[in-house]
Short mmCIF file of all heavy atoms in Angstrom, two decimals:
data_model
loop_
_atom_site.label_atom_id
_atom_site.label_comp_id
_atom_site.label_asym_id
_atom_site.label_seq_id
_atom_site.Cartn_x
_atom_site.Cartn_y
_atom_site.Cartn_z
N MET A 1 0.85 -1.20 0.00
CA MET A 1 0.00 0.00 0.00
C MET A 1 0.88 1.24 0.00
O MET A 1 1.88 1.29 0.71
CB MET A 1 -0.91 -0.03 1.23
CG MET A 1 -1.95 1.08 1.23
SD MET A 1 -2.86 1.15 2.77
CE MET A 1 -3.91 -0.29 2.61
N ASP A 2 0.51 2.21 -0.78
CA ASP A 2 1.25 3.47 -0.79
C ASP A 2 0.93 4.27 0.48
O ASP A 2 -0.22 4.44 0.82
CB ASP A 2 0.86 4.30 -2.01
CG ASP A 2 1.62 3.86 -3.24
OD1 ASP A 2 2.63 3.15 -3.09
OD2 ASP A 2 1.20 4.21 -4.34
N MET A 3 1.99 4.77 1.08
CA MET A 3 1.80 5.53 2.30
C MET A 3 2.39 6.91 2.15
O MET A 3 3.42 7.09 1.51
CB MET A 3 2.48 4.81 3.48
CG MET A 3 1.99 3.41 3.70
SD MET A 3 0.32 3.33 4.36
CE MET A 3 0.70 3.09 6.08
N ASP A 4 1.74 7.86 2.75
CA ASP A 4 2.26 9.22 2.79
C ASP A 4 2.71 9.54 4.20
O ASP A 4 2.02 9.23 5.15
CB ASP A 4 1.15 10.20 2.40
CG ASP A 4 1.26 10.63 0.95
OD1 ASP A 4 2.29 10.33 0.32
OD2 ASP A 4 0.32 11.27 0.47
N LYS A 5 3.85 10.20 4.30
CA LYS A 5 4.27 10.66 5.62
C LYS A 5 3.58 11.98 5.93
O LYS A 5 3.32 12.78 5.03
CB LYS A 5 5.79 10.85 5.64
CG LYS A 5 6.50 9.53 5.77
CD LYS A 5 7.95 9.72 6.15
CE LYS A 5 8.57 8.36 6.39
NZ LYS A 5 10.02 8.42 6.43
N VAL A 6 3.31 12.16 7.19
CA VAL A 6 2.68 13.40 7.63
C VAL A 6 3.78 14.36 8.07
O VAL A 6 4.62 14.02 8.90
CB VAL A 6 1.71 13.13 8.80
CG1 VAL A 6 1.13 14.44 9.32
CG2 VAL A 6 0.60 12.19 8.34
N LYS A 7 3.78 15.54 7.45
CA LYS A 7 4.79 16.54 7.80
C LYS A 7 4.15 17.73 8.47
O LYS A 7 3.03 18.11 8.13
CB LYS A 7 5.50 17.02 6.53
CG LYS A 7 6.56 16.08 6.03
CD LYS A 7 7.31 16.73 4.88
CE LYS A 7 8.32 15.76 4.28
NZ LYS A 7 9.06 16.39 3.18
N CYS A 8 4.89 18.31 9.37
CA CYS A 8 4.43 19.53 10.02
C CYS A 8 4.39 20.66 9.00
O CYS A 8 5.38 20.90 8.30
CB CYS A 8 5.36 19.90 11.17
SG CYS A 8 5.03 21.52 11.87
N PRO A 9 3.28 21.40 8.88
CA PRO A 9 3.19 22.49 7.92
C PRO A 9 4.00 23.71 8.35
O PRO A 9 4.24 24.61 7.55
CB PRO A 9 1.69 22.81 7.90
CG PRO A 9 1.19 22.38 9.23
CD PRO A 9 2.03 21.19 9.62
N HIS A 10 4.43 23.74 9.60
CA HIS A 10 5.17 24.90 10.09
C HIS A 10 6.66 24.75 9.84
O HIS A 10 7.32 25.67 9.38
CB HIS A 10 4.92 25.08 11.59
CG HIS A 10 3.47 25.27 11.93
ND1 HIS A 10 2.75 26.37 11.51
CD2 HIS A 10 2.61 24.48 12.60
CE1 HIS A 10 1.50 26.24 11.94
NE2 HIS A 10 1.38 25.12 12.60
N CYS A 11 7.22 23.59 10.15
CA CYS A 11 8.67 23.43 10.05
C CYS A 11 9.07 22.28 9.12
O CYS A 11 10.24 22.10 8.84
CB CYS A 11 9.26 23.21 11.45
SG CYS A 11 8.82 21.60 12.16
N GLY A 12 8.10 21.49 8.65
CA GLY A 12 8.43 20.42 7.72
C GLY A 12 8.93 19.15 8.39
O GLY A 12 9.36 18.23 7.72
N TYR A 13 8.89 19.12 9.69
CA TYR A 13 9.34 17.93 10.42
C TYR A 13 8.48 16.73 10.04
O TYR A 13 7.25 16.83 10.01
CB TYR A 13 9.25 18.20 11.92
CG TYR A 13 9.79 17.07 12.78
CD1 TYR A 13 11.14 17.05 13.14
CD2 TYR A 13 8.96 16.05 13.21
CE1 TYR A 13 11.63 16.02 13.92
CE2 TYR A 13 9.46 15.02 13.99
CZ TYR A 13 10.79 15.01 14.35
OH TYR A 13 11.29 14.00 15.12
N GLU A 14 9.12 15.63 9.76
CA GLU A 14 8.38 14.42 9.42
C GLU A 14 7.89 13.74 10.69
O GLU A 14 8.68 13.27 11.50
CB GLU A 14 9.27 13.46 8.62
CG GLU A 14 9.33 13.81 7.18
CD GLU A 14 9.98 12.71 6.35
OE1 GLU A 14 10.35 11.66 6.91
OE2 GLU A 14 10.13 12.92 5.14
N MET A 15 6.60 13.70 10.84
CA MET A 15 6.03 13.11 12.04
C MET A 15 6.07 11.59 11.95
O MET A 15 6.05 11.02 10.85
CB MET A 15 4.59 13.59 12.20
CG MET A 15 4.47 15.08 12.32
SD MET A 15 5.18 15.69 13.85
CE MET A 15 3.89 15.19 14.99
N PRO A 16 6.10 10.93 13.10
CA PRO A 16 6.05 9.47 13.10
C PRO A 16 4.64 8.96 12.83
O PRO A 16 4.09 8.19 13.58
CB PRO A 16 6.54 9.10 14.50
CG PRO A 16 6.16 10.26 15.35
CD PRO A 16 6.23 11.47 14.45
N LEU A 17 4.10 9.46 11.75
CA LEU A 17 2.74 9.09 11.35
C LEU A 17 2.76 8.79 9.87
O LEU A 17 3.40 9.50 9.10
CB LEU A 17 1.78 10.26 11.56
CG LEU A 17 1.31 10.60 12.96
CD1 LEU A 17 0.50 11.88 12.89
CD2 LEU A 17 0.47 9.49 13.52
N GLN A 18 2.03 7.80 9.48
CA GLN A 18 1.90 7.54 8.06
C GLN A 18 0.43 7.32 7.76
O GLN A 18 -0.31 6.82 8.59
CB GLN A 18 2.70 6.31 7.65
CG GLN A 18 4.20 6.56 7.73
CD GLN A 18 4.99 5.47 7.06
OE1 GLN A 18 4.64 4.32 7.17
NE2 GLN A 18 6.03 5.84 6.37
N ALA A 19 0.05 7.69 6.56
CA ALA A 19 -1.34 7.52 6.17
C ALA A 19 -1.39 6.95 4.76
O ALA A 19 -0.55 7.28 3.92
CB ALA A 19 -2.05 8.87 6.21
N ALA A 20 -2.34 6.12 4.51
CA ALA A 20 -2.54 5.61 3.16
C ALA A 20 -2.88 6.77 2.24
O ALA A 20 -3.49 7.75 2.67
CB ALA A 20 -3.66 4.58 3.16
N LYS A 21 -2.45 6.67 0.99
CA LYS A 21 -2.68 7.78 0.05
C LYS A 21 -4.16 8.04 -0.17
O LYS A 21 -4.54 9.14 -0.54
CB LYS A 21 -2.01 7.48 -1.28
CG LYS A 21 -0.51 7.67 -1.23
CD LYS A 21 0.06 7.90 -2.62
CE LYS A 21 1.57 7.85 -2.61
NZ LYS A 21 2.20 8.99 -1.99
N ASP A 22 -4.98 7.05 0.04
CA ASP A 22 -6.41 7.27 -0.16
C ASP A 22 -7.13 7.48 1.18
O ASP A 22 -8.35 7.41 1.25
CB ASP A 22 -7.03 6.13 -0.95
CG ASP A 22 -6.86 4.78 -0.25
OD1 ASP A 22 -6.13 4.75 0.77
OD2 ASP A 22 -7.45 3.80 -0.70
N ALA A 23 -6.35 7.73 2.22
CA ALA A 23 -6.96 8.00 3.52
C ALA A 23 -7.68 9.35 3.48
O ALA A 23 -7.32 10.23 2.70
CB ALA A 23 -5.89 8.02 4.61
N ILE A 24 -8.67 9.49 4.29
CA ILE A 24 -9.35 10.77 4.45
C ILE A 24 -9.30 11.11 5.93
O ILE A 24 -9.69 10.32 6.77
CB ILE A 24 -10.81 10.68 3.97
CG1 ILE A 24 -10.85 10.37 2.48
CG2 ILE A 24 -11.53 11.99 4.27
CD1 ILE A 24 -12.25 10.06 1.97
N CYS A 25 -8.78 12.29 6.21
CA CYS A 25 -8.58 12.66 7.60
C CYS A 25 -8.76 14.15 7.77
O CYS A 25 -8.25 14.95 6.99
CB CYS A 25 -7.17 12.26 8.05
SG CYS A 25 -6.78 12.79 9.70
N ARG A 26 -9.50 14.53 8.78
CA ARG A 26 -9.58 15.94 9.17
C ARG A 26 -10.04 16.00 10.61
O ARG A 26 -10.63 15.06 11.12
CB ARG A 26 -10.50 16.71 8.24
CG ARG A 26 -11.95 16.36 8.44
CD ARG A 26 -12.81 17.17 7.48
NE ARG A 26 -14.15 16.60 7.47
CZ ARG A 26 -14.99 16.74 6.46
NH1 ARG A 26 -14.62 17.40 5.38
NH2 ARG A 26 -16.18 16.23 6.51
N GLY A 27 -9.73 17.13 11.21
CA GLY A 27 -10.13 17.30 12.59
C GLY A 27 -9.28 16.49 13.57
O GLY A 27 -9.66 16.32 14.71
N VAL A 28 -8.12 16.03 13.10
CA VAL A 28 -7.21 15.31 13.99
C VAL A 28 -5.99 16.20 14.21
O VAL A 28 -5.36 16.64 13.25
CB VAL A 28 -6.79 13.96 13.36
CG1 VAL A 28 -5.77 13.26 14.24
CG2 VAL A 28 -8.01 13.07 13.16
N PHE A 29 -5.69 16.46 15.45
CA PHE A 29 -4.60 17.38 15.76
C PHE A 29 -3.47 16.63 16.45
O PHE A 29 -3.70 15.79 17.31
CB PHE A 29 -5.10 18.51 16.66
CG PHE A 29 -6.05 19.44 15.96
CD1 PHE A 29 -7.39 19.11 15.84
CD2 PHE A 29 -5.59 20.62 15.39
CE1 PHE A 29 -8.27 19.96 15.18
CE2 PHE A 29 -6.46 21.47 14.73
CZ PHE A 29 -7.80 21.14 14.62
N VAL A 30 -2.25 16.98 16.03
CA VAL A 30 -1.08 16.40 16.68
C VAL A 30 -0.10 17.52 17.00
O VAL A 30 -0.10 18.57 16.36
CB VAL A 30 -0.38 15.35 15.78
CG1 VAL A 30 -1.25 14.13 15.59
CG2 VAL A 30 0.02 15.95 14.46
N ARG A 31 0.74 17.28 17.98
CA ARG A 31 1.77 18.25 18.31
C ARG A 31 3.05 17.87 17.57
O ARG A 31 3.48 16.72 17.61
CB ARG A 31 2.01 18.26 19.82
CG ARG A 31 2.97 19.36 20.25
CD ARG A 31 3.26 19.26 21.74
NE ARG A 31 2.07 19.51 22.55
CZ ARG A 31 1.65 20.74 22.91
NH1 ARG A 31 2.33 21.79 22.54
NH2 ARG A 31 0.58 20.88 23.63
N CYS A 32 3.64 18.85 16.92
CA CYS A 32 4.87 18.62 16.18
C CYS A 32 5.97 18.21 17.14
O CYS A 32 6.08 18.73 18.25
CB CYS A 32 5.27 19.91 15.45
SG CYS A 32 6.82 19.75 14.57
N LYS A 33 6.78 17.26 16.68
CA LYS A 33 7.89 16.82 17.52
C LYS A 33 9.19 17.51 17.15
O LYS A 33 10.25 17.15 17.67
CB LYS A 33 8.05 15.29 17.39
CG LYS A 33 6.77 14.57 17.80
CD LYS A 33 7.01 13.11 18.02
CE LYS A 33 7.46 12.87 19.46
NZ LYS A 33 7.57 11.46 19.78
N GLY A 34 9.11 18.46 16.25
CA GLY A 34 10.30 19.22 15.90
C GLY A 34 10.84 19.97 17.12
O GLY A 34 10.09 20.47 17.94
N ARG A 35 12.15 20.04 17.19
CA ARG A 35 12.80 20.59 18.40
C ARG A 35 12.32 22.00 18.74
O ARG A 35 12.06 22.30 19.89
CB ARG A 35 14.32 20.65 18.17
CG ARG A 35 14.99 19.33 18.44
CD ARG A 35 16.50 19.48 18.39
NE ARG A 35 17.10 18.90 19.59
CZ ARG A 35 18.12 19.45 20.23
NH1 ARG A 35 18.65 20.57 19.79
NH2 ARG A 35 18.62 18.89 21.30
N ASN A 36 12.26 22.84 17.73
CA ASN A 36 11.95 24.24 18.01
C ASN A 36 10.55 24.62 17.58
O ASN A 36 10.24 25.78 17.41
CB ASN A 36 12.96 25.15 17.29
CG ASN A 36 14.37 24.84 17.70
OD1 ASN A 36 14.66 24.74 18.90
ND2 ASN A 36 15.25 24.65 16.74
N CYS A 37 9.71 23.64 17.40
CA CYS A 37 8.39 23.91 16.85
C CYS A 37 7.32 23.61 17.90
O CYS A 37 6.78 24.52 18.53
CB CYS A 37 8.20 23.08 15.59
SG CYS A 37 6.66 23.42 14.74
N LYS A 38 7.04 22.34 18.08
CA LYS A 38 6.10 21.87 19.11
C LYS A 38 4.72 22.49 18.95
O LYS A 38 3.95 22.59 19.90
CB LYS A 38 6.62 22.19 20.52
CG LYS A 38 8.05 21.75 20.69
CD LYS A 38 8.21 20.88 21.90
CE LYS A 38 9.66 20.48 22.05
NZ LYS A 38 9.92 19.24 22.56
N ARG A 39 4.43 22.96 17.74
CA ARG A 39 3.10 23.52 17.52
C ARG A 39 2.10 22.41 17.22
O ARG A 39 2.48 21.33 16.75
CB ARG A 39 3.14 24.52 16.37
CG ARG A 39 3.67 25.86 16.84
CD ARG A 39 3.46 26.90 15.79
NE ARG A 39 4.68 27.02 14.98
CZ ARG A 39 4.89 28.01 14.11
NH1 ARG A 39 3.99 28.94 13.95
NH2 ARG A 39 5.99 28.07 13.43
N ILE A 40 0.87 22.72 17.50
CA ILE A 40 -0.20 21.76 17.21
C ILE A 40 -0.76 22.09 15.84
O ILE A 40 -1.01 23.26 15.52
CB ILE A 40 -1.29 21.83 18.29
CG1 ILE A 40 -0.73 21.31 19.62
CG2 ILE A 40 -2.51 21.01 17.88
CD1 ILE A 40 -1.66 21.53 20.80
N PHE A 41 -0.89 21.10 15.00
CA PHE A 41 -1.47 21.33 13.68
C PHE A 41 -2.46 20.23 13.36
O PHE A 41 -2.46 19.16 13.95
CB PHE A 41 -0.37 21.44 12.62
CG PHE A 41 0.41 20.16 12.42
CD1 PHE A 41 0.01 19.24 11.45
CD2 PHE A 41 1.53 19.89 13.18
CE1 PHE A 41 0.73 18.08 11.25
CE2 PHE A 41 2.26 18.71 12.99
CZ PHE A 41 1.84 17.81 12.02
N GLU A 42 -3.32 20.55 12.41
CA GLU A 42 -4.34 19.60 12.02
C GLU A 42 -3.80 18.69 10.92
O GLU A 42 -3.19 19.16 9.97
CB GLU A 42 -5.57 20.35 11.51
CG GLU A 42 -6.71 19.43 11.14
CD GLU A 42 -7.93 20.20 10.66
OE1 GLU A 42 -7.85 21.42 10.49
OE2 GLU A 42 -8.97 19.55 10.45
N VAL A 43 -4.01 17.42 11.08
CA VAL A 43 -3.63 16.47 10.04
C VAL A 43 -4.78 16.41 9.04
O VAL A 43 -5.87 15.94 9.37
CB VAL A 43 -3.38 15.07 10.63
CG1 VAL A 43 -3.02 14.08 9.52
CG2 VAL A 43 -2.28 15.12 11.68
N ARG A 44 -4.53 16.94 7.85
CA ARG A 44 -5.57 16.96 6.83
C ARG A 44 -5.09 16.13 5.65
O ARG A 44 -4.07 16.44 5.04
CB ARG A 44 -5.84 18.39 6.37
CG ARG A 44 -6.63 19.18 7.37
CD ARG A 44 -6.77 20.63 6.90
NE ARG A 44 -8.09 21.11 7.27
CZ ARG A 44 -9.08 21.24 6.39
NH1 ARG A 44 -8.88 21.00 5.11
NH2 ARG A 44 -10.25 21.64 6.79
N ILE A 45 -5.81 15.11 5.34
CA ILE A 45 -5.47 14.26 4.21
C ILE A 45 -6.72 14.08 3.37
O ILE A 45 -7.72 13.52 3.83
CB ILE A 45 -4.96 12.88 4.70
CG1 ILE A 45 -3.73 13.07 5.60
CG2 ILE A 45 -4.63 11.99 3.51
CD1 ILE A 45 -3.45 11.88 6.46
N ASN A 46 -6.66 14.59 2.16
CA ASN A 46 -7.77 14.44 1.19
C ASN A 46 -9.12 14.88 1.77
O ASN A 46 -10.15 14.38 1.36
CB ASN A 46 -7.88 12.98 0.75
CG ASN A 46 -6.63 12.53 0.02
OD1 ASN A 46 -6.01 13.31 -0.69
ND2 ASN A 46 -6.27 11.28 0.18
N SER A 47 -9.07 15.82 2.71
CA SER A 47 -10.32 16.19 3.35
C SER A 47 -11.19 17.05 2.44
O SER A 47 -12.36 17.23 2.68
CB SER A 47 -10.04 16.94 4.65
OG SER A 47 -9.32 18.11 4.38
N ASN A 48 -10.58 17.59 1.36
CA ASN A 48 -11.39 18.37 0.42
C ASN A 48 -11.25 17.78 -0.99
O ASN A 48 -11.18 18.49 -1.98
CB ASN A 48 -10.97 19.85 0.42
CG ASN A 48 -9.50 20.01 0.19
OD1 ASN A 48 -8.77 19.02 0.05
ND2 ASN A 48 -9.02 21.23 0.13
N SER A 49 -11.20 16.47 -1.04
CA SER A 49 -10.95 15.83 -2.31
C SER A 49 -12.10 16.05 -3.30
O SER A 49 -11.91 15.98 -4.50
CB SER A 49 -10.74 14.32 -2.12
OG SER A 49 -11.83 13.77 -1.46
N ASP A 50 -13.29 16.36 -2.79
CA ASP A 50 -14.40 16.62 -3.70
C ASP A 50 -14.19 17.93 -4.43
O ASP A 50 -14.76 18.16 -5.49
CB ASP A 50 -15.73 16.58 -2.95
CG ASP A 50 -15.74 17.45 -1.72
OD1 ASP A 50 -14.64 17.90 -1.35
OD2 ASP A 50 -16.80 17.70 -1.15
N LYS A 51 -13.34 18.81 -3.87
CA LYS A 51 -13.06 20.07 -4.55
C LYS A 51 -11.94 19.90 -5.58
O LYS A 51 -11.96 20.52 -6.62
CB LYS A 51 -12.62 21.13 -3.52
CG LYS A 51 -13.78 21.79 -2.83
CD LYS A 51 -13.27 22.88 -1.88
CE LYS A 51 -14.41 23.42 -1.03
NZ LYS A 51 -13.89 24.29 0.04
N THR A 52 -10.96 19.10 -5.24
CA THR A 52 -9.78 19.00 -6.10
C THR A 52 -10.02 18.05 -7.27
O THR A 52 -9.24 18.05 -8.21
CB THR A 52 -8.56 18.53 -5.29
OG1 THR A 52 -8.89 17.33 -4.62
CG2 THR A 52 -8.15 19.57 -4.27
N LYS A 53 -11.04 17.26 -7.19
CA LYS A 53 -11.24 16.30 -8.27
C LYS A 53 -11.91 16.86 -9.48
O LYS A 53 -12.31 17.69 -9.86
CB LYS A 53 -12.12 15.15 -7.80
CG LYS A 53 -11.25 13.96 -7.39
CD LYS A 53 -12.10 12.79 -6.95
CE LYS A 53 -11.24 11.74 -6.30
NZ LYS A 53 -12.07 10.70 -5.68
ZN1 ZN B 1 6.80 21.67 13.32
#
């Protein structure tokens, strides 16, 4: 299965999270593990795919 890594939108840190390319995710928040970041961001995967298609 193809997997996408989840990256922090603030610093680009690769989170220890992976999602299938056809996963749909929104409203899930994680804290960045980047050293100088630690910001909370929303994990959005294909959540607006009806718009992009
Ligand atoms: Zn970050």
Side-chain angles (χ1 to χ4, degrees):
M1 187 187 286
D2 278 344
M3 302 289 261
D4 260 350
K5 282 195 175 166
V6 176
K7 280 187 184 180
C8 171
H10 302 295
C11 70
Y13 184 90
E14 278 191 2
M15 300 293 285
L17 284 174
Q18 291 192 321
K21 284 202 190 288
D22 60 352
I24 297 171
C25 175
R26 71 180 167 204
V28 176
F29 292 82
V30 292
R31 186 184 295 276
C32 177
K33 301 195 87 174
R35 277 187 129 220
N36 303 311
C37 185
K38 310 233 181 214
R39 280 191 265 192
I40 292 171
F41 65 92
E42 183 179 7
V43 179
R44 285 176 143 255
I45 302 161
N46 297 326
S47 61
N48 53 359
S49 56
D50 51 348
K51 277 183 188 170
T52 54
K53 263 181 191 171

